PDB file of all heavy atoms in Angstrom:
ATOM      1  N   ILE Y   1      96.251 102.523  93.756  1.00  0.00           N
ATOM      2  CA  ILE Y   1      97.195 102.655  94.859  1.00  0.00           C
ATOM      3  C   ILE Y   1      98.625 102.761  94.339  1.00  0.00           C
ATOM      4  O   ILE Y   1      99.506 103.289  95.008  1.00  0.00           O
ATOM      5  CB  ILE Y   1      97.061 101.467  95.838  1.00  0.00           C
ATOM      6  CG1 ILE Y   1      97.650 101.822  97.216  1.00  0.00           C
ATOM      7  CG2 ILE Y   1      97.701 100.213  95.281  1.00  0.00           C
ATOM      8  CD1 ILE Y   1      96.891 102.879  97.963  1.00  0.00           C
ATOM      9  N   GLY Y   2      98.854 102.274  93.120  1.00  0.00           N
ATOM     10  CA  GLY Y   2     100.187 102.366  92.529  1.00  0.00           C
ATOM     11  C   GLY Y   2     100.669 103.792  92.342  1.00  0.00           C
ATOM     12  O   GLY Y   2     101.869 104.031  92.170  1.00  0.00           O
ATOM     13  N   GLN Y   3      99.760 104.770  92.387  1.00  0.00           N
ATOM     14  CA  GLN Y   3     100.177 106.165  92.253  1.00  0.00           C
ATOM     15  C   GLN Y   3     101.074 106.591  93.405  1.00  0.00           C
ATOM     16  O   GLN Y   3     101.931 107.449  93.240  1.00  0.00           O
ATOM     17  CB  GLN Y   3      98.941 107.074  92.167  1.00  0.00           C
ATOM     18  CG  GLN Y   3      98.113 106.821  90.927  1.00  0.00           C
ATOM     19  CD  GLN Y   3      97.141 107.954  90.622  1.00  0.00           C
ATOM     20  OE1 GLN Y   3      97.443 109.112  90.796  1.00  0.00           O
ATOM     21  NE2 GLN Y   3      95.950 107.608  90.155  1.00  0.00           N
ATOM     22  N   THR Y   4     100.858 106.006  94.578  1.00  0.00           N
ATOM     23  CA  THR Y   4     101.681 106.372  95.744  1.00  0.00           C
ATOM     24  C   THR Y   4     102.489 105.203  96.294  1.00  0.00           C
ATOM     25  O   THR Y   4     103.435 105.420  97.049  1.00  0.00           O
ATOM     26  CB  THR Y   4     100.793 106.930  96.879  1.00  0.00           C
ATOM     27  OG1 THR Y   4      99.733 106.002  97.155  1.00  0.00           O
ATOM     28  CG2 THR Y   4     100.183 108.264  96.478  1.00  0.00           C
ATOM     29  N   VAL Y   5     102.133 103.970  95.940  1.00  0.00           N
ATOM     30  CA  VAL Y   5     102.879 102.796  96.402  1.00  0.00           C
ATOM     31  C   VAL Y   5     103.554 102.169  95.175  1.00  0.00           C
ATOM     32  O   VAL Y   5     102.999 101.303  94.501  1.00  0.00           O
ATOM     33  CB  VAL Y   5     101.947 101.785  97.097  1.00  0.00           C
ATOM     34  CG1 VAL Y   5     102.745 100.607  97.659  1.00  0.00           C
ATOM     35  CG2 VAL Y   5     101.158 102.464  98.202  1.00  0.00           C
ATOM     36  N   HIS Y   6     104.762 102.639  94.888  1.00  0.00           N
ATOM     37  CA  HIS Y   6     105.413 102.322  93.616  1.00  0.00           C
ATOM     38  C   HIS Y   6     105.770 100.851  93.468  1.00  0.00           C
ATOM     39  O   HIS Y   6     105.871 100.341  92.343  1.00  0.00           O
ATOM     40  CB  HIS Y   6     106.660 103.193  93.440  1.00  0.00           C
ATOM     41  CG  HIS Y   6     106.340 104.631  93.194  1.00  0.00           C
ATOM     42  ND1 HIS Y   6     107.268 105.531  92.699  1.00  0.00           N
ATOM     43  CD2 HIS Y   6     105.196 105.345  93.366  1.00  0.00           C
ATOM     44  CE1 HIS Y   6     106.714 106.737  92.594  1.00  0.00           C
ATOM     45  NE2 HIS Y   6     105.460 106.639  92.992  1.00  0.00           N
ATOM     46  N   GLU Y   7     105.969 100.134  94.582  1.00  0.00           N
ATOM     47  CA  GLU Y   7     106.348  98.727  94.464  1.00  0.00           C
ATOM     48  C   GLU Y   7     105.212  97.854  93.943  1.00  0.00           C
ATOM     49  O   GLU Y   7     105.430  96.685  93.599  1.00  0.00           O
ATOM     50  CB  GLU Y   7     106.857  98.180  95.801  1.00  0.00           C
ATOM     51  CG  GLU Y   7     105.903  98.305  96.960  1.00  0.00           C
ATOM     52  CD  GLU Y   7     106.114  99.571  97.784  1.00  0.00           C
ATOM     53  OE1 GLU Y   7     106.421 100.623  97.185  1.00  0.00           O
ATOM     54  OE2 GLU Y   7     105.967  99.491  99.011  1.00  0.00           O
ATOM     55  N   LEU Y   8     103.997  98.413  93.842  1.00  0.00           N
ATOM     56  CA  LEU Y   8     102.880  97.676  93.259  1.00  0.00           C
ATOM     57  C   LEU Y   8     102.684  97.994  91.778  1.00  0.00           C
ATOM     58  O   LEU Y   8     101.675  97.627  91.188  1.00  0.00           O
ATOM     59  CB  LEU Y   8     101.589  97.957  94.039  1.00  0.00           C
ATOM     60  CG  LEU Y   8     101.542  97.386  95.458  1.00  0.00           C
ATOM     61  CD1 LEU Y   8     100.200  97.700  96.114  1.00  0.00           C
ATOM     62  CD2 LEU Y   8     101.808  95.896  95.483  1.00  0.00           C
ATOM     63  N   ARG Y   9     103.670  98.670  91.186  1.00  0.00           N
ATOM     64  CA  ARG Y   9     103.641  98.890  89.739  1.00  0.00           C
ATOM     65  C   ARG Y   9     104.335  97.721  89.050  1.00  0.00           C
ATOM     66  O   ARG Y   9     105.320  97.188  89.541  1.00  0.00           O
ATOM     67  CB  ARG Y   9     104.331 100.210  89.381  1.00  0.00           C
ATOM     68  CG  ARG Y   9     103.672 101.422  90.028  1.00  0.00           C
ATOM     69  CD  ARG Y   9     104.259 102.721  89.507  1.00  0.00           C
ATOM     70  NE  ARG Y   9     103.765 103.870  90.268  1.00  0.00           N
ATOM     71  CZ  ARG Y   9     103.889 105.135  89.863  1.00  0.00           C
ATOM     72  NH1 ARG Y   9     104.487 105.408  88.707  1.00  0.00           N
ATOM     73  NH2 ARG Y   9     103.412 106.118  90.599  1.00  0.00           N
ATOM     74  N   MET Y  10     103.805  97.335  87.867  1.00  0.00           N
ATOM     75  CA  MET Y  10     104.291  96.122  87.197  1.00  0.00           C
ATOM     76  C   MET Y  10     104.800  96.358  85.779  1.00  0.00           C
ATOM     77  O   MET Y  10     105.161  95.401  85.089  1.00  0.00           O
ATOM     78  CB  MET Y  10     103.162  95.091  87.166  1.00  0.00           C
ATOM     79  CG  MET Y  10     102.720  94.638  88.543  1.00  0.00           C
ATOM     80  SD  MET Y  10     101.243  93.609  88.511  1.00  0.00           S
ATOM     81  CE  MET Y  10      99.952  94.861  88.449  1.00  0.00           C
ATOM     82  N   GLY Y  11     104.822  97.590  85.338  1.00  0.00           N
ATOM     83  CA  GLY Y  11     105.278  97.891  83.987  1.00  0.00           C
ATOM     84  C   GLY Y  11     104.618  99.158  83.486  1.00  0.00           C
ATOM     85  O   GLY Y  11     104.005  99.908  84.259  1.00  0.00           O
ATOM     86  N   ASN Y  12     104.729  99.397  82.171  1.00  0.00           N
ATOM     87  CA  ASN Y  12     104.141 100.579  81.562  1.00  0.00           C
ATOM     88  C   ASN Y  12     103.576 100.195  80.210  1.00  0.00           C
ATOM     89  O   ASN Y  12     104.230  99.492  79.427  1.00  0.00           O
ATOM     90  CB  ASN Y  12     105.185 101.681  81.412  1.00  0.00           C
ATOM     91  CG  ASN Y  12     104.585 102.988  80.937  1.00  0.00           C
ATOM     92  OD1 ASN Y  12     104.286 103.155  79.753  1.00  0.00           O
ATOM     93  ND2 ASN Y  12     104.384 103.927  81.861  1.00  0.00           N
ATOM     94  N   LEU Y  13     102.354 100.659  79.911  1.00  0.00           N
ATOM     95  CA  LEU Y  13     101.688 100.202  78.696  1.00  0.00           C
ATOM     96  C   LEU Y  13     102.375 100.678  77.424  1.00  0.00           C
ATOM     97  O   LEU Y  13     102.159 100.123  76.349  1.00  0.00           O
ATOM     98  CB  LEU Y  13     100.209 100.591  78.710  1.00  0.00           C
ATOM     99  CG  LEU Y  13      99.810 102.072  78.772  1.00  0.00           C
ATOM    100  CD1 LEU Y  13      99.871 102.736  77.406  1.00  0.00           C
ATOM    101  CD2 LEU Y  13      98.406 102.185  79.326  1.00  0.00           C
ATOM    102  N   VAL Y  14     103.232 101.704  77.508  1.00  0.00           N
ATOM    103  CA  VAL Y  14     103.945 102.171  76.325  1.00  0.00           C
ATOM    104  C   VAL Y  14     105.001 101.153  75.896  1.00  0.00           C
ATOM    105  O   VAL Y  14     105.204 100.923  74.703  1.00  0.00           O
ATOM    106  CB  VAL Y  14     104.589 103.548  76.594  1.00  0.00           C
ATOM    107  CG1 VAL Y  14     105.465 103.979  75.422  1.00  0.00           C
ATOM    108  CG2 VAL Y  14     103.513 104.596  76.867  1.00  0.00           C
ATOM    109  N   ARG Y  15     105.635 100.503  76.858  1.00  0.00           N
ATOM    110  CA  ARG Y  15     106.733  99.585  76.525  1.00  0.00           C
ATOM    111  C   ARG Y  15     106.423  98.116  76.808  1.00  0.00           C
ATOM    112  O   ARG Y  15     107.149  97.219  76.350  1.00  0.00           O
ATOM    113  CB  ARG Y  15     107.994  99.971  77.299  1.00  0.00           C
ATOM    114  CG  ARG Y  15     107.854  99.873  78.812  1.00  0.00           C
ATOM    115  CD  ARG Y  15     109.159 100.185  79.536  1.00  0.00           C
ATOM    116  NE  ARG Y  15     109.018 100.025  80.973  1.00  0.00           N
ATOM    117  CZ  ARG Y  15     108.631 100.979  81.817  1.00  0.00           C
ATOM    118  NH1 ARG Y  15     108.361 102.182  81.339  1.00  0.00           N
ATOM    119  NH2 ARG Y  15     108.521 100.745  83.108  1.00  0.00           N
ATOM    120  N   ASP Y  16     105.356  97.838  77.563  1.00  0.00           N
ATOM    121  CA  ASP Y  16     105.077  96.468  77.985  1.00  0.00           C
ATOM    122  C   ASP Y  16     103.726  95.985  77.461  1.00  0.00           C
ATOM    123  O   ASP Y  16     102.804  96.766  77.249  1.00  0.00           O
ATOM    124  CB  ASP Y  16     105.074  96.364  79.517  1.00  0.00           C
ATOM    125  CG  ASP Y  16     106.404  96.749  80.130  1.00  0.00           C
ATOM    126  OD1 ASP Y  16     107.430  96.179  79.688  1.00  0.00           O
ATOM    127  OD2 ASP Y  16     106.422  97.620  81.026  1.00  0.00           O
ATOM    128  N   SER Y  17     103.632  94.689  77.274  1.00  0.00           N
ATOM    129  CA  SER Y  17     102.398  94.063  76.808  1.00  0.00           C
ATOM    130  C   SER Y  17     101.478  93.772  77.988  1.00  0.00           C
ATOM    131  O   SER Y  17     101.906  93.204  78.996  1.00  0.00           O
ATOM    132  CB  SER Y  17     102.730  92.755  76.078  1.00  0.00           C
ATOM    133  OG  SER Y  17     101.605  91.910  76.008  1.00  0.00           O
ATOM    134  N   ILE Y  18     100.205  94.173  77.840  1.00  0.00           N
ATOM    135  CA  ILE Y  18      99.216  93.857  78.867  1.00  0.00           C
ATOM    136  C   ILE Y  18      99.140  92.341  79.075  1.00  0.00           C
ATOM    137  O   ILE Y  18      99.076  91.843  80.212  1.00  0.00           O
ATOM    138  CB  ILE Y  18      97.832  94.405  78.482  1.00  0.00           C
ATOM    139  CG1 ILE Y  18      97.787  95.926  78.649  1.00  0.00           C
ATOM    140  CG2 ILE Y  18      96.730  93.746  79.298  1.00  0.00           C
ATOM    141  CD1 ILE Y  18      97.699  96.403  80.067  1.00  0.00           C
ATOM    142  N   GLY Y  19      99.162  91.588  77.988  1.00  0.00           N
ATOM    143  CA  GLY Y  19      99.079  90.134  78.086  1.00  0.00           C
ATOM    144  C   GLY Y  19     100.246  89.542  78.851  1.00  0.00           C
ATOM    145  O   GLY Y  19     100.071  88.648  79.682  1.00  0.00           O
ATOM    146  N   GLU Y  20     101.441  90.036  78.576  1.00  0.00           N
ATOM    147  CA  GLU Y  20     102.630  89.542  79.274  1.00  0.00           C
ATOM    148  C   GLU Y  20     102.543  89.823  80.768  1.00  0.00           C
ATOM    149  O   GLU Y  20     102.851  88.964  81.601  1.00  0.00           O
ATOM    150  CB  GLU Y  20     103.883  90.201  78.677  1.00  0.00           C
ATOM    151  CG  GLU Y  20     105.183  89.838  79.357  1.00  0.00           C
ATOM    152  CD  GLU Y  20     105.583  88.385  79.166  1.00  0.00           C
ATOM    153  OE1 GLU Y  20     105.101  87.748  78.196  1.00  0.00           O
ATOM    154  OE2 GLU Y  20     106.364  87.878  79.997  1.00  0.00           O
ATOM    155  N   ILE Y  21     102.138  91.025  81.115  1.00  0.00           N
ATOM    156  CA  ILE Y  21     102.005  91.372  82.536  1.00  0.00           C
ATOM    157  C   ILE Y  21     100.917  90.531  83.184  1.00  0.00           C
ATOM    158  O   ILE Y  21     101.095  89.995  84.289  1.00  0.00           O
ATOM    159  CB  ILE Y  21     101.718  92.874  82.691  1.00  0.00           C
ATOM    160  CG1 ILE Y  21     102.970  93.692  82.346  1.00  0.00           C
ATOM    161  CG2 ILE Y  21     101.244  93.203  84.105  1.00  0.00           C
ATOM    162  CD1 ILE Y  21     102.754  95.171  82.304  1.00  0.00           C
ATOM    163  N   TRP Y  22      99.781  90.395  82.515  1.00  0.00           N
ATOM    164  CA  TRP Y  22      98.666  89.650  83.097  1.00  0.00           C
ATOM    165  C   TRP Y  22      99.027  88.180  83.339  1.00  0.00           C
ATOM    166  O   TRP Y  22      98.650  87.596  84.347  1.00  0.00           O
ATOM    167  CB  TRP Y  22      97.445  89.742  82.193  1.00  0.00           C
ATOM    168  CG  TRP Y  22      96.217  89.128  82.789  1.00  0.00           C
ATOM    169  CD1 TRP Y  22      95.558  88.010  82.353  1.00  0.00           C
ATOM    170  CD2 TRP Y  22      95.495  89.587  83.935  1.00  0.00           C
ATOM    171  NE1 TRP Y  22      94.474  87.747  83.149  1.00  0.00           N
ATOM    172  CE2 TRP Y  22      94.416  88.714  84.138  1.00  0.00           C
ATOM    173  CE3 TRP Y  22      95.654  90.668  84.801  1.00  0.00           C
ATOM    174  CZ2 TRP Y  22      93.499  88.861  85.164  1.00  0.00           C
ATOM    175  CZ3 TRP Y  22      94.737  90.826  85.839  1.00  0.00           C
ATOM    176  CH2 TRP Y  22      93.684  89.932  86.015  1.00  0.00           C
ATOM    177  N   GLN Y  23      99.797  87.603  82.441  1.00  0.00           N
ATOM    178  CA  GLN Y  23     100.139  86.189  82.566  1.00  0.00           C
ATOM    179  C   GLN Y  23     101.324  85.947  83.497  1.00  0.00           C
ATOM    180  O   GLN Y  23     101.382  84.909  84.178  1.00  0.00           O
ATOM    181  CB  GLN Y  23     100.483  85.611  81.179  1.00  0.00           C
ATOM    182  CG  GLN Y  23      99.359  85.690  80.159  1.00  0.00           C
ATOM    183  CD  GLN Y  23      98.354  84.552  80.303  1.00  0.00           C
ATOM    184  OE1 GLN Y  23      98.158  84.013  81.384  1.00  0.00           O
ATOM    185  NE2 GLN Y  23      97.709  84.205  79.197  1.00  0.00           N
ATOM    186  N   ASN Y  24     102.286  86.898  83.561  1.00  0.00           N
ATOM    187  CA  ASN Y  24     103.572  86.583  84.174  1.00  0.00           C
ATOM    188  C   ASN Y  24     104.020  87.489  85.307  1.00  0.00           C
ATOM    189  O   ASN Y  24     105.094  87.261  85.880  1.00  0.00           O
ATOM    190  CB  ASN Y  24     104.660  86.579  83.084  1.00  0.00           C
ATOM    191  CG  ASN Y  24     104.400  85.523  82.030  1.00  0.00           C
ATOM    192  OD1 ASN Y  24     104.108  84.379  82.344  1.00  0.00           O
ATOM    193  ND2 ASN Y  24     104.483  85.918  80.768  1.00  0.00           N
ATOM    194  N   SER Y  25     103.250  88.513  85.673  1.00  0.00           N
ATOM    195  CA  SER Y  25     103.657  89.380  86.779  1.00  0.00           C
ATOM    196  C   SER Y  25     103.795  88.573  88.072  1.00  0.00           C
ATOM    197  O   SER Y  25     102.846  87.872  88.479  1.00  0.00           O
ATOM    198  CB  SER Y  25     102.631  90.498  86.994  1.00  0.00           C
ATOM    199  OG  SER Y  25     102.801  91.084  88.274  1.00  0.00           O
ATOM    200  N   PRO Y  26     104.947  88.660  88.760  1.00  0.00           N
ATOM    201  CA  PRO Y  26     105.111  87.949  90.034  1.00  0.00           C
ATOM    202  C   PRO Y  26     104.063  88.358  91.072  1.00  0.00           C
ATOM    203  O   PRO Y  26     103.609  87.516  91.855  1.00  0.00           O
ATOM    204  CB  PRO Y  26     106.529  88.344  90.475  1.00  0.00           C
ATOM    205  CG  PRO Y  26     107.241  88.683  89.207  1.00  0.00           C
ATOM    206  CD  PRO Y  26     106.204  89.311  88.327  1.00  0.00           C
ATOM    207  N   ILE Y  27     103.685  89.635  91.090  1.00  0.00           N
ATOM    208  CA  ILE Y  27     102.679  90.097  92.048  1.00  0.00           C
ATOM    209  C   ILE Y  27     101.347  89.404  91.789  1.00  0.00           C
ATOM    210  O   ILE Y  27     100.701  88.882  92.719  1.00  0.00           O
ATOM    211  CB  ILE Y  27     102.497  91.627  91.964  1.00  0.00           C
ATOM    212  CG1 ILE Y  27     103.769  92.350  92.426  1.00  0.00           C
ATOM    213  CG2 ILE Y  27     101.308  92.089  92.807  1.00  0.00           C
ATOM    214  CD1 ILE Y  27     103.719  93.857  92.218  1.00  0.00           C
ATOM    215  N   LEU Y  28     100.920  89.371  90.528  1.00  0.00           N
ATOM    216  CA  LEU Y  28      99.636  88.755  90.198  1.00  0.00           C
ATOM    217  C   LEU Y  28      99.666  87.249  90.430  1.00  0.00           C
ATOM    218  O   LEU Y  28      98.699  86.669  90.935  1.00  0.00           O
ATOM    219  CB  LEU Y  28      99.267  89.069  88.749  1.00  0.00           C
ATOM    220  CG  LEU Y  28      99.077  90.546  88.407  1.00  0.00           C
ATOM    221  CD1 LEU Y  28      98.700  90.704  86.936  1.00  0.00           C
ATOM    222  CD2 LEU Y  28      98.019  91.189  89.292  1.00  0.00           C
ATOM    223  N   LYS Y  29     100.766  86.613  90.077  1.00  0.00           N
ATOM    224  CA  LYS Y  29     100.887  85.173  90.314  1.00  0.00           C
ATOM    225  C   LYS Y  29     100.778  84.842  91.797  1.00  0.00           C
ATOM    226  O   LYS Y  29     100.127  83.871  92.192  1.00  0.00           O
ATOM    227  CB  LYS Y  29     102.223  84.663  89.756  1.00  0.00           C
ATOM    228  CG  LYS Y  29     102.262  84.502  88.246  1.00  0.00           C
ATOM    229  CD  LYS Y  29     103.582  83.872  87.819  1.00  0.00           C
ATOM    230  CE  LYS Y  29     103.578  83.507  86.348  1.00  0.00           C
ATOM    231  NZ  LYS Y  29     104.840  82.846  85.933  1.00  0.00           N
ATOM    232  N   ASP Y  30     101.425  85.654  92.608  1.00  0.00           N
ATOM    233  CA  ASP Y  30     101.397  85.425  94.046  1.00  0.00           C
ATOM    234  C   ASP Y  30      99.980  85.574  94.597  1.00  0.00           C
ATOM    235  O   ASP Y  30      99.512  84.751  95.395  1.00  0.00           O
ATOM    236  CB  ASP Y  30     102.348  86.393  94.747  1.00  0.00           C
ATOM    237  CG  ASP Y  30     102.575  86.031  96.204  1.00  0.00           C
ATOM    238  OD1 ASP Y  30     102.890  84.863  96.486  1.00  0.00           O
ATOM    239  OD2 ASP Y  30     102.428  86.917  97.067  1.00  0.00           O
ATOM    240  N   LEU Y  31      99.282  86.632  94.159  1.00  0.00           N
ATOM    241  CA  LEU Y  31      97.912  86.846  94.616  1.00  0.00           C
ATOM    242  C   LEU Y  31      97.004  85.683  94.217  1.00  0.00           C
ATOM    243  O   LEU Y  31      96.196  85.205  95.018  1.00  0.00           O
ATOM    244  CB  LEU Y  31      97.361  88.155  94.045  1.00  0.00           C
ATOM    245  CG  LEU Y  31      97.864  89.452  94.682  1.00  0.00           C
ATOM    246  CD1 LEU Y  31      97.471  90.651  93.827  1.00  0.00           C
ATOM    247  CD2 LEU Y  31      97.316  89.618  96.097  1.00  0.00           C
ATOM    248  N   ARG Y  32      97.122  85.216  92.994  1.00  0.00           N
ATOM    249  CA  ARG Y  32      96.274  84.131  92.514  1.00  0.00           C
ATOM    250  C   ARG Y  32      96.507  82.831  93.285  1.00  0.00           C
ATOM    251  O   ARG Y  32      95.564  82.076  93.553  1.00  0.00           O
ATOM    252  CB  ARG Y  32      96.523  83.899  91.023  1.00  0.00           C
ATOM    253  CG  ARG Y  32      96.056  85.044  90.150  1.00  0.00           C
ATOM    254  CD  ARG Y  32      96.664  84.972  88.763  1.00  0.00           C
ATOM    255  NE  ARG Y  32      96.306  86.144  87.976  1.00  0.00           N
ATOM    256  CZ  ARG Y  32      96.926  86.512  86.852  1.00  0.00           C
ATOM    257  NH1 ARG Y  32      97.952  85.799  86.400  1.00  0.00           N
ATOM    258  NH2 ARG Y  32      96.537  87.596  86.206  1.00  0.00           N
ATOM    259  N   ALA Y  33      97.767  82.601  93.649  1.00  0.00           N
ATOM    260  CA  ALA Y  33      98.099  81.370  94.361  1.00  0.00           C
ATOM    261  C   ALA Y  33      97.778  81.451  95.849  1.00  0.00           C
ATOM    262  O   ALA Y  33      97.675  80.411  96.513  1.00  0.00           O
ATOM    263  CB  ALA Y  33      99.586  81.059  94.167  1.00  0.00           C
ATOM    264  N   SER Y  34      97.583  82.668  96.363  1.00  0.00           N
ATOM    265  CA  SER Y  34      97.597  82.854  97.819  1.00  0.00           C
ATOM    266  C   SER Y  34      96.294  83.348  98.423  1.00  0.00           C
ATOM    267  O   SER Y  34      96.137  83.327  99.649  1.00  0.00           O
ATOM    268  CB  SER Y  34      98.719  83.827  98.198  1.00  0.00           C
ATOM    269  OG  SER Y  34      99.966  83.360  97.723  1.00  0.00           O
ATOM    270  N   LEU Y  35      95.357  83.852  97.607  1.00  0.00           N
ATOM    271  CA  LEU Y  35      94.088  84.333  98.160  1.00  0.00           C
ATOM    272  C   LEU Y  35      93.009  83.266  98.028  1.00  0.00           C
ATOM    273  O   LEU Y  35      92.866  82.663  96.954  1.00  0.00           O
ATOM    274  CB  LEU Y  35      93.631  85.600  97.416  1.00  0.00           C
ATOM    275  CG  LEU Y  35      94.364  86.895  97.744  1.00  0.00           C
ATOM    276  CD1 LEU Y  35      93.841  88.027  96.858  1.00  0.00           C
ATOM    277  CD2 LEU Y  35      94.203  87.281  99.210  1.00  0.00           C
ATOM    278  N   PRO Y  36      92.295  83.001  99.112  1.00  0.00           N
ATOM    279  CA  PRO Y  36      92.375  83.642 100.437  1.00  0.00           C
ATOM    280  C   PRO Y  36      93.246  82.896 101.444  1.00  0.00           C
ATOM    281  O   PRO Y  36      93.275  83.250 102.609  1.00  0.00           O
ATOM    282  CB  PRO Y  36      90.917  83.631 100.897  1.00  0.00           C
ATOM    283  CG  PRO Y  36      90.395  82.333 100.352  1.00  0.00           C
ATOM    284  CD  PRO Y  36      91.085  82.141  99.009  1.00  0.00           C
ATOM    285  N   GLY Y  37      93.943  81.843 100.991  1.00  0.00           N
ATOM    286  CA  GLY Y  37      94.617  80.944 101.916  1.00  0.00           C
ATOM    287  C   GLY Y  37      95.637  81.580 102.843  1.00  0.00           C
ATOM    288  O   GLY Y  37      95.816  81.151 103.980  1.00  0.00           O
ATOM    289  N   ARG Y  38      96.328  82.637 102.352  1.00  0.00           N
ATOM    290  CA  ARG Y  38      97.386  83.249 103.164  1.00  0.00           C
ATOM    291  C   ARG Y  38      96.920  84.473 103.951  1.00  0.00           C
ATOM    292  O   ARG Y  38      97.732  85.167 104.558  1.00  0.00           O
ATOM    293  CB  ARG Y  38      98.577  83.635 102.276  1.00  0.00           C
ATOM    294  CG  ARG Y  38      99.449  82.441 101.878  1.00  0.00           C
ATOM    295  CD  ARG Y  38     100.540  82.854 100.918  1.00  0.00           C
ATOM    296  NE  ARG Y  38     101.411  83.880 101.495  1.00  0.00           N
ATOM    297  CZ  ARG Y  38     102.319  84.566 100.779  1.00  0.00           C
ATOM    298  NH1 ARG Y  38     102.445  84.335  99.474  1.00  0.00           N
ATOM    299  NH2 ARG Y  38     103.085  85.458 101.349  1.00  0.00           N
ATOM    300  N   LEU Y  39      95.630  84.757 103.924  1.00  0.00           N
ATOM    301  CA  LEU Y  39      95.138  85.893 104.700  1.00  0.00           C
ATOM    302  C   LEU Y  39      95.448  85.701 106.181  1.00  0.00           C
ATOM    303  O   LEU Y  39      95.420  84.581 106.696  1.00  0.00           O
ATOM    304  CB  LEU Y  39      93.631  86.053 104.503  1.00  0.00           C
ATOM    305  CG  LEU Y  39      93.174  86.561 103.129  1.00  0.00           C
ATOM    306  CD1 LEU Y  39      91.662  86.486 103.013  1.00  0.00           C
ATOM    307  CD2 LEU Y  39      93.665  87.978 102.875  1.00  0.00           C
ATOM    308  N   LYS Y  40      95.714  86.818 106.856  1.00  0.00           N
ATOM    309  CA  LYS Y  40      96.117  86.773 108.260  1.00  0.00           C
ATOM    310  C   LYS Y  40      95.068  87.446 109.143  1.00  0.00           C
ATOM    311  O   LYS Y  40      94.131  88.075 108.660  1.00  0.00           O
ATOM    312  CB  LYS Y  40      97.468  87.481 108.424  1.00  0.00           C
ATOM    313  CG  LYS Y  40      98.589  86.859 107.607  1.00  0.00           C
ATOM    314  CD  LYS Y  40      99.875  87.672 107.693  1.00  0.00           C
ATOM    315  CE  LYS Y  40     100.974  87.079 106.822  1.00  0.00           C
ATOM    316  NZ  LYS Y  40     102.207  87.912 106.854  1.00  0.00           N
ATOM    317  N   GLY Y  41      95.266  87.309 110.454  1.00  0.00           N
ATOM    318  CA  GLY Y  41      94.409  87.988 111.416  1.00  0.00           C
ATOM    319  C   GLY Y  41      92.962  87.567 111.289  1.00  0.00           C
ATOM    320  O   GLY Y  41      92.637  86.418 110.958  1.00  0.00           O
ATOM    321  N   ILE Y  42      92.055  88.502 111.512  1.00  0.00           N
ATOM    322  CA  ILE Y  42      90.639  88.191 111.484  1.00  0.00           C
ATOM    323  C   ILE Y  42      90.182  87.742 110.100  1.00  0.00           C
ATOM    324  O   ILE Y  42      89.259  86.930 109.971  1.00  0.00           O
ATOM    325  CB  ILE Y  42      89.794  89.407 111.969  1.00  0.00           C
ATOM    326  CG1 ILE Y  42      88.306  89.034 112.065  1.00  0.00           C
ATOM    327  CG2 ILE Y  42      90.009  90.621 111.074  1.00  0.00           C
ATOM    328  CD1 ILE Y  42      88.012  87.868 112.978  1.00  0.00           C
ATOM    329  N   CYS Y  43      90.833  88.240 109.044  1.00  0.00           N
ATOM    330  CA  CYS Y  43      90.442  87.844 107.685  1.00  0.00           C
ATOM    331  C   CYS Y  43      90.621  86.336 107.470  1.00  0.00           C
ATOM    332  O   CYS Y  43      89.860  85.721 106.719  1.00  0.00           O
ATOM    333  CB  CYS Y  43      91.249  88.619 106.647  1.00  0.00           C
ATOM    334  SG  CYS Y  43      90.826  90.376 106.560  1.00  0.00           S
TER     335      CYS Y  43
END
């Protein structure tokens, strides 16, 4: 989905470490802390 939704991109493998992104990306941290507790609506 990052191909069309740019705000879900977290870096680039040419300049960034996969390990650094996996451990420290704010998007990933938020998902790990929030699923499924913050799901809304019928979910």
Side-chain angles (χ1 to χ4, degrees):
I1 200 67
Q3 295 197 38
T4 53
V5 184
H6 290 196
E7 57 267 37
L8 291 181
R9 300 188 188 195
M10 297 172 277
N12 187 282
L13 61 81
V14 174
R15 63 176 183 271
D16 299 308
S17 160
I18 286 285
E20 177 68 21
I21 289 173
W22 186 247
Q23 300 278 28
N24 298 313
S25 163
I27 294 173
L28 298 181
K29 283 185 172 182
D30 191 50
L31 285 168
R32 292 163 185 164
S34 303
L35 285 177
R38 283 175 59 191
L39 289 172
K40 300 174 183 177
I42 185 58
C43 290

